[in-house]
Amino acid sequence: MSEENTKSKVALVTGAGRGIGRSIALNLAQDGMHVICVSKSASSCGGAAEFIKQQGYQAEALQVDVSSGDEIRNACQKILDQHEVVDVLVNNAGITRDNLLFRMEEDDWMSVINTNLNSCFHWIKGLGRPMTRKRWGRIINISSVVGLTGNAGQANYSAAKAGMVGLTKSLAREFAARSVTVNAIAPGFIDTDMTSSLDERIKEVALSTVPLKRFGKVEDIADMTSFLASEKSSYITGQVFTVDGGMVM
Ligand code: NAP
């Protein structure tokens, strides 16, 4: 095996403090990577990194508010001083600020676009060059089924998630010659803090649209991420994988 294959890879996961991101971070660490866990609060990413290290894997925490381009640029500088290259980037951090359009404040629009979509632009700009120079890399963007179907009351969130799909496909074409793949995952309803706050009636209606008749688990998304981050997915780029119990066919 070449030295390149035995050296541990570095992964960065945004929104790794809780929910889907935390599960992705744990999976990638179990896959042998050194994982940089990013989240908004220090206690959240710190807790996730600590948990991963307690299991005997490699991780570190980094507090970054991904809605700020300046914070991401500073973080990328710091990370590249220390690690030279981030091999796997998972853009997972996301928020919802749901409302019907006529009741939606501009701030609800902007904060969702900044956190969910603009952050991807800043992270990829900040970390993409060393990846393309190394001629190996994986960028995985966590979108949503509503980025494909739309959803009443989620114009901001759906627009951001659809934007991630366009970004994924364009960058897959830009980076392909450098063996950097860019793919997206579109989860359906996954059991996390984001969905636990929905009222029971909305949850019931949601469940009735899922052929497999259950909400997804965070591991369902983490396992697809592990595959896309691995050598096994090297001939796959520019794709969107729905992991949604069959909601969107
Ligand atoms: P979650 O449980 O609410 O966790 C969100 C994570 O994102 C947290 O770690 C949070 O940091 C981080 N985050 C939020 N705003 C941030 C900011 N400005 N800067 C840095 N980190 C920030 O969410 P989830 O359900 O796991 O969702 C993860 C991703 O999957 C999101 O992009 C979401 O849109 C997408 N998704 C989820 C579902 C679902 O059903 N759950 C479905 C489709 C798509 P703190 O821990 O510090 O607060």
Side-chain angles (χ1 to χ4, degrees):
M1 210 183 256
S2 72
E3 196 194 335
E4 198 49 59
N5 287 333
T6 53
K7 233 170 53 187
S8 113
K9 288 193 160 60
V10 176
L12 184 142
V13 182
T14 69
R18 292 181 281 130
I20 292 170
R22 186 178 161 115
S23 183
I24 291 172
L26 176 61
N27 253 27
L28 296 180
Q30 286 171 336
D31 293 340
M33 298 184 199
H34 175 96
V35 182
I36 304 168
C37 300
V38 170
S39 72
K40 190 170 182 178
S41 92
S43 61
S44 177
C45 56
E50 211 39 58
F51 176 75
I52 290 170
K53 286 194 281 186
Q54 276 165 11
Q55 314 291 307
Y57 305 110
Q58 295 178 59
E60 66 183 281
L62 190 62
Q63 177 190 16
V64 184
D65 179 351
V66 305
S67 67
S68 157
D70 285 342
E71 281 204 27
I72 296 175
R73 272 187 290 277
N74 290 339
C76 290
Q77 186 80 57
K78 207 166 131 187
I79 291 161
L80 293 177
D81 284 347
Q82 205 187 330
H83 293 288
E84 288 170 24
V85 64
V86 168
D87 303 279
V88 175
L89 167 64
V90 183
N91 284 307
N92 163 80
I95 56 166
T96 51
R97 294 283 181 274
D98 299 350
N99 222 330
L100 295 171
L101 188 84
F102 293 138
R103 292 188 200 147
M104 190 178 285
E105 301 293 338
E106 187 176 346
D107 187 51
D108 296 328
W109 175 269
M110 290 311 298
S111 56
V112 168
I113 299 292
N114 281 330
T115 305
N116 298 13
L117 178 61
N118 292 348
S119 61
C120 302
F121 165 79
H122 294 298
W123 282 113
I124 296 168
K125 263 205 97 154
L127 300 176
R129 210 179 280 280
M131 218 185 249
T132 55
R133 230 180 266 130
K134 188 175 173 183
R135 293 179 178 271
W136 197 97
R138 300 279 190 265
I139 298 171
I140 300 156
N141 297 319
I142 308 299
S143 175
S144 167
V145 286
V146 305
L148 306 174
T149 63
N151 195 24
Q154 290 197 306
N156 49 358
Y157 184 78
S158 308
K161 295 299 185 182
M164 290 172 82
V165 171
L167 179 75
T168 298
K169 289 176 181 285
S170 299
L171 296 185
R173 292 184 187 279
E174 283 189 30
F175 297 165
R178 302 295 182 122
S179 300
V180 172
T181 66
V182 190
N183 290 292
I185 298 174
F189 285 94
I190 309 297
D191 231 337
T192 68
D193 292 348
M194 188 177 268
T195 42
S196 65
S197 57
L198 295 172
D199 81 42
E200 284 308 316
R201 200 186 52 82
I202 292 179
K203 281 191 200 170
E204 257 173 49
V205 173
L207 203 53
S208 71
T209 66
V210 181
L212 285 178
K213 293 289 167 233
R214 68 167 174 88
F215 284 159
K217 304 189 297 289
V218 290
E219 292 81 6
D220 294 321
I221 308 304
D223 289 344
M224 175 57 94
T225 307
S226 272
F227 170 69
L228 291 175
S230 76
E231 225 33 89
K232 291 180 180 167
S233 68
S234 61
Y235 201 52
I236 300 173
T237 196
Q239 304 304 309
V240 183
F241 296 91
T242 50
V243 179
D244 64 351
M247 269 173 86
V248 179
M249 293 194 190

